[in-house]
Amino acid sequence: MLFRSILKNYWALYFGVAVGTVIPVVGVWVASRWRPSVPRRVPGLRDMLKFGAGITSANVSSFFSRNMDNVLIGWRWGNDALGLYDRAYKLLLFPIERIVGPVMGTMVPVLSRLTGEPERYRRIFLKTTSQLTLATWPGIIWAIVLDDTLVPTLLGKQWTDSVALFEPLAIAGLVQVINNSMGYLYTSQGRSGELARVGFIGAVIDVASFVIGLPYGAIGVATAYATSEYLRTPFFWWLLTRRGPIRPWDVFRAVLPQIASGVMSALVLLGYRKLAHIPPVFL
């Protein structure tokens, strides 16, 4: 009875996040076989701690900004609005993070070894980015166009109101596939201090967008967030590429074929549904 009652209220969101965080940590700890020992002086420890402090600061900023939208929506609009927003967010962005994160995470050690070979560094990063967008963007675009049936089919008819929230979040998800790689570039180039500063700026922008959209409900928060994601992207890539082997044009050129094909695919899907008056594909 207790378990069923938890699943029917806001505690389900809490326990879902908690379990999803604790299990990977325990698994990594067991697999690594690392155990704490007595602290001792190690050569280079200060530089390592300084580098780690930058990464930690960026992660704290990211955690704060990624959860403040839920806090604000729950505080201002209540549990129902928060539940709709949370389901729409996790339906698309959560899976994307689980795809992009591990792939780009494996690239950090690879790129770190290639910092002295800028051409190989650039080629491997751009090829990975191109393949990631090719693997994720068609599904995102398809989901945006057919969200009126995708969301109720996957979540149930009781979550139909999440459709309006799903659209701006999915649009934000397109650019997030690329933007998530920024942290890995900073890390592989040993620029954790810059990463911490950019992470803080990004968190401030995120929270500001949440506050701006909050009076208009959860849809306002989602729309303001998606808008801010696109407005800040050129600036953040300019900051990143002032140093290192990657240039903004390199990234744009790598994903240009996916942009062109994505736009054409969306237009074809929209035109076909409108002209043929076809019913939703899931019904």
Side-chain angles (χ1 to χ4, degrees), residues 103-125:
V103 172
M104 294 307 299
T106 59
M107 293 301 296
V108 172
V110 175
L111 295 177
S112 298
R113 296 187 182 97
L114 297 176
T115 52
E117 303 178 60
E119 289 301 325
R120 290 187 62 194
Y121 184 105
R122 182 187 302 110
R123 183 173 67 254
I124 290 176
F125 171 76

Side-chain angles (χ1 to χ4, degrees), residues 37-73:
S37 60
V38 178
R40 62 183 186 275
R41 295 185 63 87
V42 178
L45 179 61
R46 177 176 297 181
D47 292 337
M48 183 174 64
L49 290 176
K50 183 178 179 181
F51 180 81
I55 302 296
T56 301
S57 298
N59 289 337
V60 170
S61 297
S62 176
F63 178 84
F64 179 80
S65 63
R66 290 297 178 90
N67 290 277
M68 186 53 63
D69 50 351
N70 293 324
V71 172
L72 292 174
I73 291 173

Side-chain angles (χ1 to χ4, degrees), residues 126 129-135 137-138 141 253-265:
L126 295 177
T129 301
S130 177
Q131 292 174 344
L132 272 177
T133 54
L134 180 62
W137 280 7
I141 293 171
R253 184 171 55 185
V255 301
L256 183 59
Q258 284 76 272
I259 295 176
S261 62
V263 171
M264 292 301 299
S265 299

Side-chain angles (χ1 to χ4, degrees), residues 15-282:
F15 283 105
V17 174
V19 172
T21 301
V22 172
I23 290 180
V25 171
V26 174
V28 170
W29 195 354
V30 172
S32 66
R33 299 182 179 179
W34 175 84
R35 299 296 181 269
S37 60
V38 178
R40 62 183 186 275
R41 295 185 63 87
V42 178
L45 179 61
R46 177 176 297 181
D47 292 337
M48 183 174 64
L49 290 176
K50 183 178 179 181
F51 180 81
I55 302 296
T56 301
S57 298
N59 289 337
V60 170
S61 297
S62 176
F63 178 84
F64 179 80
S65 63
R66 290 297 178 90
N67 290 277
M68 186 53 63
D69 50 351
N70 293 324
V71 172
L72 292 174
I73 291 173
W75 166 73
R76 178 64 176 82
W77 296 102
N79 296 336
D80 292 342
L82 176 58
L84 293 172
Y85 181 87
D86 179 79
R87 292 301 91 189
Y89 182 92
K90 285 186 169 57
L91 182 60
L92 183 68
L93 297 188
F94 188 77
I96 289 177
E97 291 173 356
R98 290 301 181 269
I99 296 173
V100 177
V103 172
M104 294 307 299
T106 59
M107 293 301 296
V108 172
V110 175
L111 295 177
S112 298
R113 296 187 182 97
L114 297 176
T115 52
E117 303 178 60
E119 289 301 325
R120 290 187 62 194
Y121 184 105
R122 182 187 302 110
R123 183 173 67 254
I124 290 176
F125 171 76
L126 295 177
K127 183 177 181 180
T128 303
T129 301
S130 177
Q131 292 174 344
L132 272 177
T133 54
L134 180 62
T136 57
W137 280 7
I140 298 175
I141 293 171
W142 178 81
I144 293 173
V145 175
L146 302 175
D147 59 355
D148 57 336
T149 53
L150 176 68
V151 174
T153 300
L154 295 182
L155 299 181
K157 293 183 179 181
Q158 69 272 25
W159 297 101
T160 301
D161 291 342
S162 292
V163 171
L165 302 171
F166 180 83
E167 291 179 356
L169 292 176
I171 293 173
L174 289 170
V175 72
Q176 278 191 347
V177 173
I178 303 175
N179 289 348
N180 283 345
S181 64
M182 290 185 184
Y184 305 116
L185 289 177
Y186 277 117
T187 302
S188 65
Q189 296 173 23
R191 299 160 60 186
S192 65
E194 294 180 53
L195 175 61
R197 290 189 289 272
V198 170
F200 178 77
I201 295 172
V204 171
I205 294 175
D206 280 342
V207 175
S209 69
F210 300 153
V211 172
I212 291 173
L214 189 62
Y216 305 97
I219 182 63
V221 173
T223 303
Y225 169 69
T227 302
S228 70
E229 190 75 24
Y230 279 85
L231 291 178
R232 69 186 178 185
T233 291
F235 173 66
F236 276 10
W237 275 102
W238 173 78
L239 287 177
L240 169 61
T241 55
R242 289 183 304 166
R243 295 170 52 192
I246 307 297
R247 295 291 176 265
W249 171 248
D250 295 332
V251 180
F252 179 75
R253 184 171 55 185
V255 301
L256 183 59
Q258 284 76 272
I259 295 176
S261 62
V263 171
M264 292 301 299
S265 299
L267 292 176
V268 169
L269 280 171
L270 288 170
Y272 182 62
R273 288 195 62 179
K274 182 175 182 180
L275 295 177
H277 300 289
I278 61 173
V281 296
F282 290 102

